[in-house]
Amino acid sequence: MSRIVIVVIDGFGIGAMPDADAHRPGDGAADTLGHLLDRHRAATGHPLALPTLEALGLGLVHPHPDLARAPTLPVAAGRAALGYPGADTYAGHQTMMGADFSRVTVARFAGHLDGVAAALRESGHGTDLLGGRPVLVADGCILVHDNLEADPGVNWNVSGRLEDVSFTDVLRVARVVRSVAPVARVIAVAGRTDAPLHTFVREGALGTVGLDTPASGFYRNGGLAVRHLGASLDRARRLPELAVDAAVPVTLVGKAADVLACDAAVCLPSVDTTEVFALTRDALRRAPATALIVSNVQETDLAGHQQDAARYASVLRRTDTGLSTLLPLLSSPGDRLIVTGDHGNDPVIGHACHTREYVPVLIHRPEAARPSTAGSRATHPDHLPPAHTLADVGATAAVALGLRAGALGSGTPLLRPAAGSAGAPR
């Protein structure tokens, strides 16, 4: 019997991957957590207090002087490479759930503008170019454009201003775009601004052009509505579907409810971090002895996009507090709290895009006698291997739930199941 809670801290990187500079020059210096801790100390004169994350082993995977090196809880701690190209929430979550996203198509919108325009016209939508730039204006007010917050060409956005159009109308256009888009994700976004959307269109990296969403006010003016429309994937080989097929109840909380989009799961969307943890606790209290809960803390990512280190620190403190409230509810052998990220979003790097960084993998194991550090399986079977990817998070959760990890599209379990748990050998 195992209750598995996976908490994804969106945009929580712990240092650039070796190929970060190849994706965006300068990102080889990215370090979301390290820069955040440095900035907080410089601004306040004292370290950022993250006692729960430190107890879970964060200082083991990021040896920053402001983090305690020794975990005080029974954990296994390590870091994960992303396991997919670029740095993207949708691809990150799909990879984490076992989907093979190693071949995500990267395409700038300019190269597909004519085909998208034709599809929209065939569906009854009007289309125009925005001032001769590679941005489509659908129905006079909805922009179709490159996403400037992820690596160039990974995602496209369909954006509308709620003062001009409803989110339903934005979503209708986005679904047509999704039907012909080769990229991993088409994101429908609507919100409120103080000026027309076209005034916030900017040039991005590598020839991309799109809406500067943080500058537009969408993230701060209220009413934000978002829907992630992902590329086709083999859902039968993802962790939520495998769990449901095995009669394991699945709950998706926060942004995970949208990004993972499992029809048979209980979906509890929310953006506010405090509410995300309240919903997670409530789901955990109601859960039977074997269950899967996946929660996403989105506000860290939003703060990174806004390049607001102070806000990021505030959200991370609330996240730390929220994690502390989950631990007493996960005390049975085989229960797992897995804390990780999906990419980086360095709030001081100098741009509002995701950063290609390693992410932490912190696994609380209440049945373990002591904490363990990342190392070789040859020296201790409960140590995390020195190199793994986000796909291994889903595989580890699958085995703990008594599911066959090989049924996933990708991933290798990091830990053996606990004796007496659902996934333990019999």
Side-chain angles (χ1 to χ4, degrees):
M1 297 184 291
S2 299
R3 294 176 300 163
I4 310 300
V5 178
I6 301 174
V7 175
V8 184
I9 306 177
D10 210 308
F12 193 44
I14 56 172
M17 290 180 57
D19 60 352
D21 263 328
H23 288 262
R24 184 181 293 105
D27 276 13
D31 183 355
T32 298
L33 176 59
H35 290 160
L36 183 72
L37 295 172
D38 292 342
R39 180 64 63 90
H40 182 82
R41 178 178 277 279
T44 67
H46 55 77
L48 178 62
L50 301 171
T52 308
L53 284 165
E54 290 180 273
L56 289 168
L58 186 61
L60 286 175
V61 300
H62 193 296
H64 190 280
D66 283 350
L67 295 175
R69 292 296 300 274
T72 57
L73 292 171
V75 298
R79 69 176 188 174
L82 299 185
Y84 64 89
D88 175 64
T89 295
Y90 181 79
H93 280 69
Q94 302 303 337
T95 299
M96 196 184 304
M97 292 297 108
D100 183 359
F101 254 62
S102 61
R103 296 184 178 180
V104 169
T105 300
V106 176
R108 294 191 294 276
F109 181 65
H112 298 265
L113 191 151
D114 290 343
V116 173
L120 286 169
R121 288 193 295 269
E122 289 173 7
S123 298
H125 299 280
T127 62
D128 296 287
L129 276 180
L130 181 65
R133 307 166 90 176
V135 173
L136 274 181
V137 183
D139 299 335
C141 57
I142 299 171
L143 303 186
V144 185
H145 56 91
D146 288 306
N147 179 304
L148 302 186
E149 297 170 72
D151 284 320
V154 171
N155 302 322
W156 298 347
N157 277 25
V158 178
S159 303
R161 186 172 181 252
L162 290 175
E163 291 87 345
D164 303 324
V165 67
S166 72
F167 183 61
T168 299
D169 292 331
V170 174
L171 189 57
R172 187 176 296 115
V173 171
R175 285 181 170 136
V176 177
V177 176
R178 171 72 276 172
S179 70
V180 295
V183 295
R185 190 164 42 138
V186 172
I187 310 172
V189 189
R192 304 187 185 281
T193 72
D194 299 323
L197 279 189
H198 68 82
T199 62
F200 302 105
V201 171
R202 308 280 189 267
E203 293 184 2
L206 302 180
T208 55
V209 180
L211 184 70
D212 184 342
T213 304
S216 74
F218 277 5
Y219 295 151
R220 63 178 181 272
N221 288 342
L224 178 67
V226 181
R227 183 72 59 83
H228 300 262
L229 306 179
S232 297
L233 51 86
D234 187 354
R235 294 183 178 274
R237 302 195 70 186
R238 298 192 317 169
L239 178 61
E241 284 78 6
L242 289 181
V244 167
D245 288 346
V248 175
V250 176
T251 303
L252 305 175
V253 183
K255 193 175 178 180
D258 180 16
V259 174
L260 294 177
C262 176
D263 292 338
V266 175
C267 292
L268 304 172
S270 179
V271 175
D272 180 78
T273 299
T274 300
E275 183 178 40
V276 164
F277 280 104
L279 291 170
T280 303
R281 286 193 300 275
D282 189 50
L284 189 51
R285 291 187 181 108
R286 296 196 312 267
T290 301
L292 171 66
I293 301 171
V294 184
S295 301
N296 175 283
V297 177
Q298 183 179 2
E299 287 188 295
T300 43
D301 190 50
L302 297 181
H305 287 313
Q306 293 174 309
Q307 293 285 276
D308 189 338
R311 182 187 177 193
Y312 199 126
S314 175
V315 175
L316 198 56
R317 280 197 299 267
R318 279 187 282 141
T319 299
D320 193 86
T321 299
L323 291 170
S324 72
T325 67
L326 300 181
L327 290 169
L329 304 176
L330 293 163
S331 58
S332 299
D335 284 353
R336 295 284 182 265
L337 172 63
I338 305 176
V339 181
T340 187
D342 52 353
H343 51 73
N345 200 335
D346 192 326
V348 302
I349 196 68
H351 60 71
C353 302
H354 295 159
T355 42
R356 185 166 169 79
E357 299 181 51
Y358 291 104
V359 295
V361 179
L362 313 176
I363 307 175
H364 176 246
R365 311 169 300 155
E367 78 282 353
R370 62 186 185 280
S372 65
T373 61
S376 168
R377 291 186 182 197
T379 58
H380 194 293
D382 284 341
H383 286 172
L384 298 189
H388 53 282
T389 73
L390 276 174
D392 299 342
V393 171
T396 301
V399 169
L401 290 167
L403 308 175
R404 189 169 64 87
L408 296 170
S410 61
T412 301
L414 298 170
L415 298 174
R416 298 181 306 178
S421 72
R426 290 175 171 83

